[in-house]
Amino acid sequence: MNRRTPLPALAGVAAAVLVLAGCGDSTPEDAKAAPAQSAPVAGTGSSAATSPAPAPALKPGEVRIAGQVDKPSTVTLASLRGLPQTSVEVEYTSAKGQQKHTYQGVLLHDVLKDAQPRFDASKKNGQLRGIVAATGGGDYRAVFAWAELDPGFAKSQVLLAVSEDGKPFDDAAGPRLVVPQDTKGGRYVSELNQLWVGTVDATVDGAGGAPGAGN
């Protein structure tokens, strides 16, 4: 014998089903998106790294000494002329042909040494890991090993030249690198504006792979 369920009871069951179905996802669509994270408030001790302030723009003729040094600085022709001078006679080949000149200036090693490069004293001859990148006009760049500049390892006299054949360089042009041991003029960087000092460790140690894997 079939029993008929009263209509009020059916209505109650339907309402219960609707409530249960809604329990699976009761969050409004707008609230499903990840909440925006508020910006850290200054002075709250946030661990977010603070970007270093950009270096001030260089004036014409200024040379910035930077990198892994304790005393970054800026030099000019005027400041270099006030330091002990060295004179060298050089011959080299350039795009203009064979060159022969006499330059006067300051030993590059002496200027960079004053910046106090942060070489690792715990490493044997830690300074031999050092490099110097010289940047000139038109983003021209040349690199030196520290040992090429250090009189303790080499006899070269790389100069920050202030004059050529007795003629002073224009102050706005800045000093010129002179590399007596080079037979080509590629590292005679003119319109010099930056000398970056560092080591090869980050590049070599971060290259990946086991030591000697490239052999």
Side-chain angles (χ1 to χ4, degrees):
M1 181 177 178
N2 295 332
R3 293 182 178 181
R4 294 177 177 273
T5 305
L7 290 178
L10 290 175
V13 171
V17 170
L18 290 174
V19 170
L20 291 174
C23 290
D25 188 5
S26 60
T27 306
E29 285 297 322
D30 291 343
K32 290 182 182 178
Q37 297 189 4
S38 59
V41 179
T44 59
S46 172
S47 60
T50 303
S51 300
L58 290 171
K59 297 177 182 178
E62 290 184 333
V63 181
R64 177 179 290 125
I65 300 174
Q68 298 169 20
V69 296
D70 286 333
K71 292 186 176 181
S73 62
T74 301
V75 299
T76 63
L77 280 173
S79 64
L80 292 173
R81 292 186 185 111
L83 299 175
Q85 302 290 298
T86 298
S87 182
V88 296
E89 295 181 0
V90 299
E91 291 188 45
Y92 60 93
T93 302
S94 74
K96 297 179 180 179
Q98 191 68 18
Q99 302 291 317
K100 185 176 181 180
H101 299 286
T102 298
Y103 289 99
Q104 182 172 309
V106 181
L107 291 173
L108 177 59
H109 174 265
D110 291 350
V111 174
L112 297 182
K113 185 179 178 181
D114 286 344
Q116 298 182 8
R118 293 195 295 267
F119 298 139
D120 191 346
S122 69
K123 305 292 186 182
K124 182 178 180 180
N125 288 329
Q127 68 269 43
L128 296 185
R129 301 165 181 245
I131 55 174
V132 177
T135 304
D139 199 30
Y140 188 87
R141 184 166 292 160
V143 176
F144 297 80
W146 182 264
E148 292 182 84
L149 314 176
D150 191 334
F153 293 94
K155 295 181 178 181
S156 61
Q157 293 183 306
V158 180
L159 293 186
L160 282 171
V162 300
S163 68
E164 179 186 77
D165 300 327
K167 182 179 180 181
F169 291 130
D170 184 74
D171 284 348
R176 182 181 186 185
L177 273 186
V178 172
V179 193
Q181 71 268 30
D182 285 7
T183 57
K184 289 189 176 182
R187 296 198 294 180
Y188 281 61
V189 181
S190 58
E191 298 180 16
L192 190 67
N193 56 65
Q194 178 173 272
L195 291 164
W196 182 93
V197 184
T199 69
V200 298
D201 291 345
T203 300
V204 174
D205 296 339
N215 294 335

